């Protein structure tokens, strides 16, 4: 029976994967720890490792997994920036779940936006304390505002549809604009200048790390609202904090944070958090942080488990998977076509 070393597991993962594996086809070993250079040995004796967004699959880990005979890394997420896919190329294949519920993430982005601009987070706390004052609660209408969407893939397009439902004007930037989509694509500079709200829905790559930084914030409208449900390092957090302190940025809605890997998904309510930048952000009344939970719906968890196990079954059975990724994917059109549906 195929043995899967399942890292960074939470109770909800266990429930959804046990339901998907109800016939007992796979021997899944659940580990609460993340996969890191210190924990890779837990995968000894397994055939596949299954990882999530904050596991650290660097060149050292890849070498160690390869020495153990592991030939497949099954990501149970869409993004794969935490895997050194270039180093893995030729050694270990990487499969992912390209879409599990784009609705979950797009809806969470809108939930964050509405919460922020209508001060729901503050109202919730006030009325719990029987404080019914409206001082400081003035929001603004979304209707007629311009939203700039960066990344018009599955999630970005659903977010655009939601925004249009609110009567917003949509402009977008994508490295690979979709033809005939009816989306008004603009340059990044134009997007920074025109958008009242900016929402990030593109993957994190070497070229767009810190795409929101002091220089780009300078080009934005005063009072702009920034939403990030993609990857934390798309934003320079230090520049974001400065932008908020300067009153240039009106609000930030963050489901991801560039230094989240040792913090998010854990309970630090009885600890002093050492990350001063995160602590500063959380202390600001116009910042909402959720801990990478945009994906977390019943539908998404079930889809993640089904697709991850299907990917593993398909790859170990046939040696190929339509959900394989490599560092060339996206750079070379149909890179997998060159190798009969395999990346290498
Ligand atoms: P997708 O692959 O369908 O769409 C991504 C879009 O970004 C594509 O249209 C692509 O052309 C565009 N793009 C690529 N590089 C770009 C660049 N440098 N600048 C601008 N656009 C660029 O991906 P999907 O499913 O819409 O997911 C988007 C991102 O959302 C993922 O990469 C992931 O980081 C994040 N995500 C976050 C989750 C959460 O729980 N917070 C859950 C799932 C995904």
């Amino acid at each position: 029976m195929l043995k899967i070393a399942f890292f960074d597991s939470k109770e909800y993962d266990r429930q959804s994967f046990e339901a998907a594996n109800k016939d007992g086809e796979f021997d899944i070993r659940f580990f609460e720890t993340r996969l890191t250079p210190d924990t890779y040995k837990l995968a000894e004796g397994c055939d596949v490792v299954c990882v999530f967004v904050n596991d650290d699959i660097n060149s050292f880990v890849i070498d160690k997994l390869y020495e153990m005979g592991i030939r497949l890394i099954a990501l149970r997420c869409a993004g794969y920036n935490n895997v050194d896919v270039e180093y893995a190329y030729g050694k270990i294949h990487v499969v992912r779940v390209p879409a599990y519920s784009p609705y979950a993430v797009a809806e969470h982005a809108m939930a964050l936006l509405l919460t922020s601009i209508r001060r729901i987070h503050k109202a919730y706390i006030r009325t719990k304390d029987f404080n019914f004052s409206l001082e400081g609660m003035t929001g603004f209408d979304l209707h007629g505002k311009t939203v700039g969407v960066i990344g018009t893939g599955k999630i970005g397009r659903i977010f655009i549809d939601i925004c249009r439902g609110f009567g917003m004007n949509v402009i977008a930037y994508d490295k690979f604009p979709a033809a005939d989509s009816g989306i008004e694509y603009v340059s990044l500079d134009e997007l920074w200048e025109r958008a009242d709200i900016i929402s990030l829905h593109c993957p994190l790559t070497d070229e767009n790390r810190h795409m929101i930084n002091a220089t780009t914030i300078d080009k934005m409208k005063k009072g702009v609202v920034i939403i990030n449900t993609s990857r934390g390092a798309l934003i320079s957090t230090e520049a974001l904090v400065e932008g908020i302190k300067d009153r240039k940025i009106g609000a930030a809605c963050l489901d991801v944070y560039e230094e989240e890997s040792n913090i998010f998904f854990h309970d630090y309510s009885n600890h002093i958090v050492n990350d001063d930048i995160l602590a500063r952000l959380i202390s600001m009344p116009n910042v909402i942080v959720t801990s990478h939970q945009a994906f977390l719906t019943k539908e998404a968890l079930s889809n993640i488990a089904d697709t991850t196990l299907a990917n593993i079954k398909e790859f170990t059975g046939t040696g190929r998977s339509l959900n394989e990724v490599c560092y060339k994917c996206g750079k070379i059109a149909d890179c997998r076509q060159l190798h009969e549906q395999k990346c290498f």
Side-chain angles (χ1 to χ4, degrees):
M1 189 188 294
L2 209 70
K3 298 187 185 70
I4 304 172
F6 193 107
F7 286 89
D8 202 10
S9 75
K10 301 284 181 279
E11 187 50 36
Y12 49 78
D13 292 315
R14 189 184 274 266
Q15 284 172 8
S16 56
F17 274 79
E18 282 178 351
N21 188 37
K22 59 183 180 309
D23 298 332
E25 195 175 348
F26 302 97
D27 174 0
I28 309 179
R29 300 173 181 193
F30 293 96
F31 302 117
E32 285 182 21
T33 180
R34 293 188 296 123
L35 175 57
T36 69
D38 297 322
T39 63
Y40 68 87
K41 282 191 180 146
L42 290 167
E44 191 80 61
C46 290
D47 307 287
V48 178
V49 293
C50 181
V51 295
F52 195 52
V53 294
N54 287 325
D55 293 287
D56 179 10
I57 304 100
N58 61 19
S59 55
F60 175 84
V61 173
I62 287 166
D63 279 341
K64 293 298 174 189
L65 296 177
Y66 187 73
E67 282 167 24
M68 286 177 188
I70 287 170
R71 297 292 177 268
L72 183 63
I73 294 168
L75 284 153
R76 51 182 196 279
C77 52
Y80 49 94
N81 54 289
N82 55 328
V83 182
D84 188 340
V85 279
E86 186 159 359
Y87 194 80
Y89 193 83
K91 300 183 187 77
I92 303 184
H93 294 269
V94 180
V95 289
R96 65 170 184 147
V97 182
Y100 30 91
S101 173
Y103 303 101
V105 183
E107 289 170 13
H108 191 78
M110 181 48 87
L112 286 172
L113 175 60
L114 285 171
T115 302
S116 169
I117 65 159
R118 302 310 306 270
R119 317 278 189 260
I120 307 293
H121 55 309
K122 302 195 81 64
Y124 176 79
I125 293 168
R126 271 195 199 180
T127 56
K128 281 271 174 206
D129 199 27
F130 298 98
N131 175 353
F132 301 105
S133 155
L134 294 182
E135 287 301 325
M137 299 299 239
T138 310
F140 64 81
D141 292 2
L142 286 180
H143 185 91
K145 296 294 182 303
T146 298
V147 61
V149 176
I150 300 181
T152 55
K154 292 175 285 298
I155 296 170
R157 298 256 204 131
I158 293 165
F159 186 71
I160 287 173
D161 287 345
I162 293 173
C163 289
R164 285 182 173 152
F166 276 79
M168 301 171 80
N169 306 314
V170 177
I171 55 174
Y173 170 79
D174 194 297
K175 202 175 162 197
F176 308 100
D180 306 327
S181 59
I183 297 171
E184 182 188 350
Y185 285 104
V186 296
S187 68
L188 269 179
D189 273 348
E190 189 175 343
L191 188 144
W192 306 136
E193 278 164 29
R194 284 178 54 194
D196 300 297
I197 294 143
I198 294 170
S199 195
L200 302 177
H201 298 289
C202 58
L204 172 66
T205 62
D206 288 340
E207 69 181 318
N208 66 12
R209 182 172 295 271
H210 287 186
M211 71 188 304
I212 292 190
N213 55 48
T215 310
T216 53
I217 288 171
D218 209 40
K219 296 176 182 170
M220 293 175 194
K221 276 189 175 176
K222 185 171 166 52
V224 64
V225 179
I226 295 177
I227 309 167
N228 189 4
T229 56
S230 273
R231 285 294 179 267
L234 291 168
I235 300 180
S236 157
T237 318
E238 285 190 34
L240 182 75
V241 169
E242 287 309 310
I244 297 168
K245 281 163 64 183
D246 292 346
R247 315 294 194 266
K248 180 74 188 254
I249 294 171
C253 306
L254 309 173
D255 186 51
V256 287
Y257 168 58
E258 56 180 329
E259 302 298 334
E260 73 180 46
S261 61
N262 288 319
I263 300 173
F264 281 17
F265 307 133
H266 300 286
D267 179 2
Y268 286 108
S269 53
N270 284 320
H271 297 260
I272 305 292
V273 170
N274 287 327
D275 186 325
D276 289 350
I277 296 181
L278 180 62
R280 182 74 176 104
L281 267 180
I282 288 175
S283 76
M284 292 167 151
N286 50 355
V287 174
I288 297 180
V289 175
T290 52
S291 62
H292 209 135
Q293 75 174 65
F295 74 99
L296 197 63
T297 64
K298 284 184 209 164
E299 293 81 359
L301 288 173
S302 169
N303 290 339
I304 286 170
D306 288 345
T307 307
T308 304
L309 294 185
N311 284 345
I312 294 172
K313 187 171 177 178
E314 186 188 18
F315 197 86
T316 52
T318 66
R320 49 181 62 85
S321 164
L322 280 176
N323 291 332
E324 184 177 7
V325 282
C326 72
Y327 76 103
K328 292 182 179 174
C329 288
K331 291 185 185 157
I332 302 175
D334 294 328
C335 92
R336 269 176 278 142
Q337 301 290 346
L338 304 173
H339 305 281
E340 298 175 330
Q341 296 300 329
K342 293 164 80 176
C343 282
F344 59 87

